[in-house]
Amino acid sequence: MHYPNLFVIGAPKCGTSALYKWLNAHHEIFVPRSKEPHHFSTEYCLTPRLSQYLEHYRDWTSKEKWALDASVWYLHSPTAIPKILEVRPDARFIVMLRKPTQMIPSMHQQQVLNGNEFEHDLSSALLLNDERLVGKSSAVFKGYPPEQLAYFQSCALGRQMKRLLSWVDESQVHIILHEELEKDPSQVLNQVYGFLDLNPILPTTFERVNEGRVRRYPTLDRITKSLGSWKIRAGITFRFGILSWLRSVNQKKQIRPPLTEEQYNEIHKRMTPDVYMLSRCINRDLSHWLSPQRRYGGKIPHDSKDIL
């Protein structure tokens, strides 16, 4: 059995799509077509059958030193890492981190686009945090884990990193901060290749990846997504690609609106203890994540391009 040995385990909306794309260009890294098979997480498992999961790595050969699984909810999962270590104790893990005042609104926008989040207003979605945390599917697509839309917990990267480092030796973990990826992606990618003991292969340009988008017609997307879920439950495996095509065309680029002062203060208040925990875990000064932001007319201006 050829289990992968390199895992980008999160976090969502922290640059994983960009890294996945760039690593795909290296001839010594096998990258499957499916970025996020999510096999090892019990709570959110997209490829439950082992044969189905290993099929992604059928073409991995000895020419490639690494084989990649970039399932971004593994860091959040309490079950994924121990399961990975059972079959690949030598696994390497890449973790990408982002400050909560950027990560939470970006993830909310993405979950609305994905059709999992029915509450389009960020403030209202944050009010549902505690209900979702105990498993109530408040404004959540049926069958999707509501805990993942409890943003104050799913974006609590300090707690997640502390748990990860209780399982895995630090030498097996490489950490990337989103702000560093935005500032100098070539340096960050060079450091990744150093972690993997590979000669660097850098893209000629670092283009935008996974830009913010919204649905043109949310109701149509909800119907399309529901039909896709019904096909899975019914065991229908043949595909014409119509539903996927509808979902792909029913979207447009849109810059995420800036946080209001109230939204920023609420996120800042709820996430400050976790930021301090993260800072201690990774031995990095993250005090700038908690610094007051300049306000213009009650709005918090963007301090991130939100493109990675």
Side-chain angles (χ1 to χ4, degrees), residues 6 61 63 73 192 211 242:
L6 175 61
T61 70
K63 295 180 181 179
W73 286 105
V192 170
E211 295 179 86
I242 297 175

Side-chain angles (χ1 to χ4, degrees), residues 173-193:
V173 179
H174 182 73
I175 296 169
I176 298 172
L177 299 185
H178 185 270
E179 62 210 53
E180 295 173 346
L181 190 64
E182 287 189 317
K183 181 180 179 180
D184 193 345
S186 61
Q187 181 179 351
V188 168
L189 191 53
N190 272 317
Q191 291 170 347
V192 170
Y193 286 131

Side-chain angles (χ1 to χ4, degrees), residues 7-210:
F7 296 84
V8 177
I9 58 175
K13 304 309 296 179
C14 292
T16 59
S17 294
L19 184 62
Y20 171 85
K21 178 180 178 181
W22 298 335
L23 293 181
N24 192 25
H26 202 289
H27 62 278
E28 291 189 75
I29 302 177
F30 178 83
V31 178
R33 291 185 179 182
S34 176
K35 172 178 178 275
E36 303 181 34
H38 280 103
H39 171 72
F40 291 98
S41 50
T42 304
E43 318 76 31
Y44 184 61
C45 184
L46 301 183
T47 53
R49 298 195 311 275
L50 178 58
S51 59
Q52 180 186 15
Y53 176 64
L54 294 180
E55 180 68 18
H56 292 295
Y57 302 96
R58 180 183 60 181
D59 297 327
W60 178 25
T61 70
S62 59
K63 295 180 181 179
E64 295 113 356
K65 181 176 181 180
W66 302 99
L68 177 66
D69 177 344
S71 299
V72 298
W73 286 105
Y74 282 167
L75 181 64
H76 177 262
S77 168
T79 62
I81 306 305
K83 287 186 172 184
I84 292 172
L85 293 173
E86 286 180 8
V87 298
R88 289 302 312 224
D90 60 338
R92 296 281 186 96
F93 300 92
I94 297 176
V95 185
M96 311 183 75
L97 308 171
R98 190 178 188 181
K99 66 180 180 179
T101 51
Q102 292 177 355
M103 183 181 177
I104 288 177
S106 182
M107 192 192 296
H108 172 259
Q109 183 186 43
Q110 184 67 51
Q111 292 286 13
V112 170
L113 176 71
N114 292 348
N116 300 318
E117 171 67 82
F118 291 168
E119 181 49 74
H120 289 207
D121 177 68
L122 175 60
S123 297
S124 300
L126 294 179
L127 289 174
L128 298 173
N129 181 88
D130 295 343
E131 293 181 23
R132 293 170 171 178
L133 189 59
V134 295
K136 294 183 179 179
S137 298
S138 305
V140 178
F141 182 77
K142 184 178 180 181
Y144 191 79
E147 299 85 357
Q148 292 186 189
L149 302 187
Y151 299 103
F152 293 132
Q153 276 65 42
S154 60
C155 298
L157 302 180
R159 177 177 56 82
Q160 296 172 34
M161 279 300 302
K162 182 178 180 180
R163 183 176 58 197
L164 172 67
L165 294 175
S166 72
W167 290 324
V168 183
D169 188 86
E170 289 185 9
S171 64
Q172 295 174 252
V173 179
H174 182 73
I175 296 169
I176 298 172
L177 299 185
H178 185 270
E179 62 210 53
E180 295 173 346
L181 190 64
E182 287 189 317
K183 181 180 179 180
D184 193 345
S186 61
Q187 181 179 351
V188 168
L189 191 53
N190 272 317
Q191 291 170 347
V192 170
Y193 286 131
F195 172 66
L196 300 177
D197 299 315
L198 296 177
N199 292 322
I201 294 180
L202 303 180
T204 54
T205 60
F206 291 91
E207 299 177 349
R208 297 185 178 190
V209 178
N210 203 16

